[in-house]
Amino acid sequence: MPSANPFKYLTIIALVFVSCGNNQVTIQGSIDYLGDADLIIQQQPVHYKYSPMIRDTLKVSDQGSFSFTTPVSSRHLRTLQINDESYPLVLSPEADLEITIQRAAFPENVRVEGYPESWGERYNRYLTETEEIETQIPLEEEKIKVGEENTLLKLSERKYQIAEKHLSGTPLHDYYLKAIGEHLVFAVRSIEYNQRFNESFDADSAREHVFSLADSLNFFTIESLKAQRAGIRDFAHYYARTFGIYDSVKSAYGQDLSEYDIKRLAYEELNEKRLQVLDHIESRDAMAHARMYLVAERIGEQDLESATPSYEAYLEEFSGYPEYTEFLTYFYNEIKSVSPGQPAVPFSLPDIDGNIHTMKDYRGKFVLLDFWAGWCQPCLEEFSYMKDIYANYSRDELEIIGISNEADSLVWVQDIKRLELPWVQLYGGNGFDEKTFKAYKGGGIPFYILVDPNGEIARYNDVRPSFNFIPVLDSLLSEYKNQMN
């Protein structure tokens, strides 16, 4: 029998210890291989989408060793991340930890030694017992969207019950609260689909039931809201959708509009429903957190003129919450810097042949920047409209520049050849961390910026080729030509 490869089952061994004098935690260890992935330590940001990510990439040597030191003043959670997988770490100035991770199995089968109690073992049991549930939930989620019988709510309820059994009362309690939030969001989403496929469905009673359940599970507390992926955002968003507003807007416009367009067209009506959720929040701390999320969404989704009153009102009412007010001020100023009339963000990106293109190369014409990726179905659905637009306007009037967020450049090359897109295609890569996308404060894709012939931003993500782009461009072209004459 051949001898075992000593590297085949090599695990990451990380020793986390505290320097008593200055509350420094050092994470050190080794890993058998990472490939193109990074080993990252990340903290939960104030806002899941709009605030700067607090993360550190561990430098891994060619031999697979690493060492990282960070200050820790009190016990808190961070996540160890490899690609899209993450595992929670309880960092505390009071305990030394030894972490063993099997790279191929990550995030499962992680062993943590040094906790005063078996928190790591509890989390591993939680992962094991919910593994099949996690596989089934996306399948049941598709059924609910088309009105088929499903077990989605039973599965998500079982998930939070398992989380309660293993994680409640531990420093990993947030994962129990998060599982509750996921279940409640599924419960709210089910109302929208049930009333769409069942005319006799009593949506009012269903909404009352969800709120009653949420209250009984303490969902609207500050501890719970902070544990959620997106604070109050997801619950309030799907609650607003239960009033048939999306279907009404689509019916009024006679076409299947994108979600982003619907949210802009019916923002005030949707926001009125979102605000109803706040009636169930009792503590001022939880209210400050929830309102911060709703104000941030307004800044990110509406023009600044519409967002400014609620932003300024928040700063005055919740001045005693500097973490939130400082974030909103930062975000407001960031969006202001890329609002219409501001200079377009400069870039220098390669095309498929390696030729470098810059924003300055396209002065003298309108330019539609299209941030996209091949895995983004809404992005792909816009391309047939974009091909018609591209054919009907001269290159002296309009250029389209696709900037890909695709992480793998080979996939990008395959996509642009397969899709036969006639306009300029540039590669940014790096997913949502793509430099130009981040500079424009993009939150999701497709994401469109229209730049005028003077190199200034004309429209900020409020045009869609399938919806309003042609009348907007025609109006801007007419105005520009009149200025030139």
Side-chain angles (χ1 to χ4, degrees):
M1 180 177 179
S3 61
N5 183 340
F7 297 99
K8 184 176 181 180
Y9 301 106
L10 186 63
T11 60
I12 304 173
I13 308 294
L15 177 64
V16 182
F17 61 91
V18 178
S19 175
C20 298
N22 53 14
N23 290 340
Q24 294 286 305
V25 168
T26 296
I27 302 171
Q28 63 183 17
S30 62
I31 184 170
D32 54 350
Y33 99 105
L34 270 178
D36 294 330
D38 289 319
L39 189 62
I40 294 171
I41 293 288
Q42 183 168 300
Q43 298 182 51
Q44 180 171 320
V46 176
H47 192 284
Y48 77 108
K49 181 167 62 174
Y50 295 133
S51 62
M53 195 64 67
I54 307 170
R55 62 196 311 184
D56 293 285
T57 301
L58 304 188
K59 186 176 181 180
V60 181
S61 71
D62 293 339
Q63 293 74 35
S65 62
F66 59 86
S67 181
F68 173 74
T69 300
T70 184
V72 174
S73 58
S74 61
R75 179 194 292 170
H76 66 278
L77 283 174
R78 296 193 198 180
T79 55
L80 179 66
Q81 298 197 194
I82 303 175
N83 290 330
D84 294 330
E85 302 289 352
S86 64
Y87 186 88
L89 295 179
V90 182
L91 298 190
S92 171
E94 298 138 10
D96 299 338
L97 304 180
E98 184 175 336
I99 306 169
T100 304
I101 305 172
Q102 294 181 343
R103 172 64 175 92
F106 186 81
E108 297 185 3
N109 300 327
V110 176
R111 189 172 73 249
V112 181
E113 298 179 1
Y115 288 151
E117 299 180 38
S118 57
W119 303 329
E121 294 174 15
R122 284 170 172 257
Y123 188 76
N124 287 339
R125 289 196 292 270
Y126 163 70
L127 288 182
T128 299
E129 292 186 27
T130 58
E131 183 176 9
E132 185 175 350
I133 292 175
E134 295 284 14
T135 301
Q136 289 297 318
I137 280 179
L139 303 178
E140 298 302 303
E141 196 174 354
E142 291 304 311
K143 292 180 183 179
I144 202 171
K145 294 178 182 179
V146 295
E148 294 181 1
E149 291 291 329
N150 63 85
T151 60
L152 178 61
L153 297 185
K154 290 182 179 179
L155 288 171
S156 62
E157 180 182 29
R158 179 59 183 150
K159 179 181 174 181
Y160 85 70
Q161 290 171 344
I162 294 172
E164 180 180 23
K165 178 176 67 174
H166 294 302
L167 307 178
S168 180
T170 77
L172 300 170
H173 187 78
D174 280 4
Y175 285 81
Y176 161 56
L177 298 176
K178 183 178 179 181
I180 287 175
E182 291 172 356
H183 174 69
L184 292 171
V185 168
F186 284 137
V188 173
R189 291 181 65 186
S190 70
I191 298 174
E192 178 185 12
Y193 295 115
N194 280 328
Q195 64 183 344
R196 181 177 296 168
F197 298 108
N198 182 357
E199 293 182 0
S200 63
F201 181 74
D202 188 347
D204 288 337
S205 295
R207 281 189 284 264
E208 290 178 7
H209 172 74
V210 171
F211 277 120
S212 177
L213 177 61
D215 289 337
S216 70
L217 293 171
N218 297 315
F219 174 70
F220 296 111
T221 63
I222 183 60
E223 293 80 10
S224 173
L225 294 182
K226 280 189 171 183
Q228 306 309 314
R229 179 191 76 96
I232 199 67
R233 184 266 177 195
D234 288 348
F235 186 92
H237 168 72
Y238 287 109
Y239 171 77
R241 290 186 58 148
T242 67
F243 292 88
I245 297 172
Y246 273 51
D247 291 341
S248 296
V249 173
K250 290 179 182 179
S251 177
Y253 280 82
Q255 63 183 106
D256 190 18
L257 301 171
S258 73
E259 179 173 349
Y260 195 90
D261 292 326
I262 295 172
K263 287 165 70 175
R264 280 185 170 268
L265 292 168
Y267 189 88
E268 293 303 329
E269 188 175 2
L270 288 166
N271 196 54
E272 179 185 353
K273 301 303 182 184
R274 293 190 195 109
L275 292 175
Q276 291 179 3
V277 174
L278 301 183
D279 293 339
H280 293 261
I281 296 177
E282 296 181 355
S283 81
R284 182 165 174 77
D285 288 350
M287 183 64 76
H289 187 273
R291 286 274 299 278
M292 176 270 291
Y293 261 84
L294 296 185
V295 172
E297 292 295 310
R298 192 174 188 109
I299 295 171
E301 295 178 355
Q302 295 291 292
D303 61 271
L304 277 190
E305 185 177 355
S306 299
T308 297
S310 59
Y311 160 69
E312 292 178 342
Y314 184 94
L315 296 187
E316 181 176 353
E317 183 176 354
F318 295 101
S319 59
Y321 294 83
E323 181 182 20
Y324 303 153
T325 57
E326 288 172 9
F327 155 65
L328 287 175
T329 299
Y330 152 82
F331 183 49
Y332 181 88
N333 289 331
E334 289 285 284
I335 293 297
K336 187 176 182 178
S337 72
V338 289
S339 294
Q342 297 297 317
V345 173
F347 61 76
S348 180
L349 295 169
D351 61 22
I352 193 171
D353 297 317
N355 300 313
I356 300 299
H357 297 242
T358 70
M359 189 69 246
K360 288 183 178 180
D361 297 336
Y362 296 92
R363 285 285 182 91
K365 65 186 73 176
F366 284 92
V367 180
L368 179 66
L369 301 179
D370 167 33
F371 294 86
W372 69 286
W375 49 261
C376 169
Q377 188 59 36
C379 300
L380 306 185
E381 290 171 355
E382 295 289 330
F383 287 156
S384 62
Y385 300 95
M386 294 170 70
K387 287 180 179 180
D388 290 340
I389 291 169
Y390 199 69
N392 290 330
Y393 291 85
S394 73
R395 298 292 72 78
D396 291 334
E397 295 175 312
L398 173 69
E399 182 59 85
I400 300 177
I401 300 177
I403 299 179
S404 175
N405 295 73
E406 183 65 60
D408 188 333
S409 61
L410 295 179
V411 173
W412 168 66
V413 170
Q414 295 169 359
D415 283 340
I416 60 176
K417 290 182 177 179
R418 171 176 59 88
L419 296 168
E420 298 181 341
L421 305 176
W423 51 87
V424 178
Q425 293 295 329
L426 306 180
Y427 183 66
N430 209 26
F432 288 160
D433 288 329
E434 195 278 320
K435 185 177 180 180
T436 311
F437 178 77
K438 287 191 68 175
Y440 274 116
K441 324 308 171 191
I445 54 177
F447 181 72
Y448 300 100
I449 301 293
L450 183 61
V451 180
D452 71 18
N454 298 316
E456 294 182 348
I457 298 168
R459 301 296 288 260
Y460 181 83
N461 201 33
D462 63 349
V463 291
R464 288 290 183 278
S466 62
F467 178 47
N468 62 343
F469 180 77
I470 291 176
V472 168
L473 179 63
D474 286 346
S475 176
L476 290 172
L477 277 170
S478 177
E479 182 180 339
Y480 179 72
K481 289 175 181 179
N482 289 336
Q483 291 175 352
M484 293 297 99
N485 293 333

